[in-house]
Amino acid sequence: MSTKPSQKISLVTGGAGFLASHLTDRLLAEGHRVIGIDNFITGSQDNIAHLAGNENYRFIKQDVTEYLFIDEPLDYVWHFASPASPIDYLEHPIPTLKVGSLGTHNALGLAKAKKAAFIIASTSECYGDPLVHPQTEDYWGNVNPIGPRGVYDEAKRFAEAITMAYHRYHHVNTHIVRIFNTYGPRMRLRDGRVVPAFIGEALTGAPITIFGDGSQTRSFCYVSDLIDGIYRLMLSDFHEPVNIGNPREMTIREFAEQIIKITGSHSTIETHPLPVDDPKVRKPDITRARKLLGWEPKVTFEEGIVKTIDYFRPRV
Ligand code: NAD
Ligand code: UDP
């Protein structure tokens, strides 16, 4: 891999994950050279297999909680490494806390040393089980720090705090994106998140497993829209958190019914206990992203979900 003088160089942590692999494709399309780092704790080689032989791409297998040494200049650090699905972070509570804290510290230290711009993939989980609806960035959240989800929520809240500290005290050009539920190709079929779970169940005719009574809400953003918002945020001069997500809100029961209808499945609906601290509502207020970035989602739920179902169909 050789760099042309004007070519931007991006480091993407968690590079073999769902979102970061799409981000990598976008960066390569924008002409960047990309270095991906991942330890495969929840990611997959399959997500980056198509990049083999690409002279603008390099992969390093490493845990980002260990010291990061990169022997070349960097323009951007995109810090996406972290287990992200509730079953993943419940299975890996300590690695989740470590990647949000030590991993973010290392990624920020690298950005500072290289004078690179930095972005942390934060989350709507920072709002916990929200008492403000829809969620605006100035809401501080309602998080149970010692509940099972606390390992993820508090790691991300720490990550936001250290990111602001590096901005304020070290003058690093940092950005914070609060990502709301995002879906699309390259999610793991069995990562436990509701989109692959319901699609997998519908395509195999298994019962659809609704947790609780299904009245809790989520708002689903298609991956290409999310990546576009994040790309714009990195190029902006805004340093406080920005929500990126799709404000179209639906109940989980409605989501199940849509999946059954669109797949033409004969699956029945089955209810299971609601996980501890499962947020009852979630919907981004995207006024800030609209004003600052001129961004809003373009892909409708109907378009995005069909593309995602088509991706999973041969994989179930
Ligand atoms: P993912 O599990 O597909 O990707 C995360 C990647 O990080 C994986 O490839 C994993 O192996 C890697 N990773 C984890 N710990 C690591 C470590 N210590 N060192 C190196 N690599 C490590 O999940 P995703 O959905 O693509 O999420 C990516 C990021 O976006 C995460 O930080 C997540 O918290 C955030 N996010 C995602 C969503 C969403 O809806 N997908 C919502 C909010 C926030
Ligand atoms: N959910 C569900 N059945 C499943 C998986 C998830 O009813 O098989 C529910 C879950 O309880 C939550 C919502 O769907 O209310 C979204 O869950 P997900 O794991 O996708 O992410 P979260 O938004 O909770 O982080």
Side-chain angles (χ1 to χ4, degrees):
M1 166 159 119
S2 69
T3 317
K4 299 165 208 101
S6 60
Q7 191 174 25
K8 299 294 183 200
I9 311 182
S10 275
L11 178 93
V12 180
T13 77
F18 159 51
L19 294 182
S21 68
H22 287 277
L23 171 67
T24 298
D25 290 345
R26 170 71 186 263
L27 295 174
L28 291 168
E30 296 287 344
H32 290 217
R33 228 176 110 183
V34 180
I35 305 167
I37 300 192
D38 205 296
N39 65 352
F40 297 116
I41 187 170
T42 57
S44 163
Q45 187 82 53
D46 295 347
N47 291 337
I48 49 171
H50 62 290
L51 301 174
N54 185 325
E55 60 166 17
N56 286 316
Y57 185 72
R58 171 181 163 199
F59 181 76
I60 302 170
K61 182 171 184 291
Q62 201 202 305
D63 183 332
V64 298
T65 66
E66 309 284 341
Y67 183 79
L68 295 171
F69 175 75
I70 304 292
D71 57 352
E72 50 185 314
L74 293 176
D75 298 288
Y76 302 102
V77 174
W78 312 75
H79 182 41
F80 276 62
S82 172
S85 102
I87 61 164
D88 284 343
Y89 57 74
L90 296 183
E91 194 181 334
H92 305 290
I94 294 168
T96 300
L97 283 158
K98 285 176 72 177
V99 73
S101 53
L102 307 178
T104 306
H105 186 210
N106 285 342
L108 280 162
L110 185 64
K112 173 172 166 264
K114 302 285 184 181
K115 298 190 171 30
F118 174 90
I119 194 164
I120 171 77
S122 187
T123 167
S124 53
E125 279 284 321
C126 287
Y127 303 120
D129 188 7
L131 306 176
V132 166
H133 192 69
Q135 291 77 56
T136 45
E137 290 89 347
D138 55 9
Y139 176 49
W140 292 351
N142 178 37
V143 172
N144 174 3
I146 57 158
R149 294 174 91 102
V151 297
Y152 181 66
D153 302 9
E154 295 298 3
K156 290 291 186 179
R157 286 161 66 101
F158 174 88
E160 289 198 4
I162 192 171
T163 297
M164 288 309 297
Y166 266 66
H167 173 62
R168 292 194 180 111
Y169 298 101
H170 291 312
H171 310 293
V172 178
N173 177 14
T174 62
H175 310 279
I176 298 172
V177 56
R178 291 196 182 137
I179 301 170
F180 283 65
N181 296 65
T182 300
Y183 69 98
R186 301 189 193 149
M187 293 185 96
R188 260 167 41 236
L189 188 59
R190 287 178 189 80
D191 82 358
R193 286 187 272 198
V194 71
V195 174
F198 286 7
I199 294 177
E201 289 158 357
L203 291 177
T204 55
I208 305 283
T209 53
I210 287 188
F211 299 163
D213 63 4
S215 64
Q216 71 273 33
T217 68
R218 293 295 186 272
S219 309
F220 298 103
C221 185
Y222 189 66
V223 61
S224 58
D225 279 335
L226 179 94
I227 297 302
D228 187 48
I230 292 176
Y231 184 74
R232 287 173 191 232
L233 180 57
M234 180 64 119
L235 299 189
S236 80
D237 54 10
F238 193 73
H239 305 293
E240 293 194 4
V242 178
N243 290 338
I244 299 284
N246 191 319
R248 177 165 164 193
E249 184 184 16
M250 61 182 86
T251 66
I252 291 302
R253 184 168 289 273
E254 237 179 291
F255 178 63
E257 285 161 357
Q258 287 283 338
I259 296 293
I260 291 174
K261 190 172 123 206
I262 298 169
T263 54
S265 171
H266 298 294
S267 289
T268 53
I269 287 182
E270 188 175 271
T271 55
H272 292 258
L274 191 66
V276 177
D277 297 332
D278 197 288
K280 285 182 266 313
V281 288
R282 184 180 290 156
K283 170 183 172 166
D285 180 316
I286 58 165
T287 310
R288 189 175 274 184
R290 277 200 174 103
K291 278 196 192 143
L292 281 173
L293 311 174
W295 176 88
E296 61 182 8
K298 299 214 163 20
V299 181
T300 64
F301 175 75
E302 289 72 15
E303 290 165 343
I305 208 71
V306 166
K307 287 188 193 178
T308 309
I309 291 168
D310 288 347
Y311 170 81
F312 281 119
R313 208 180 285 281
R315 292 174 169 81
V316 290

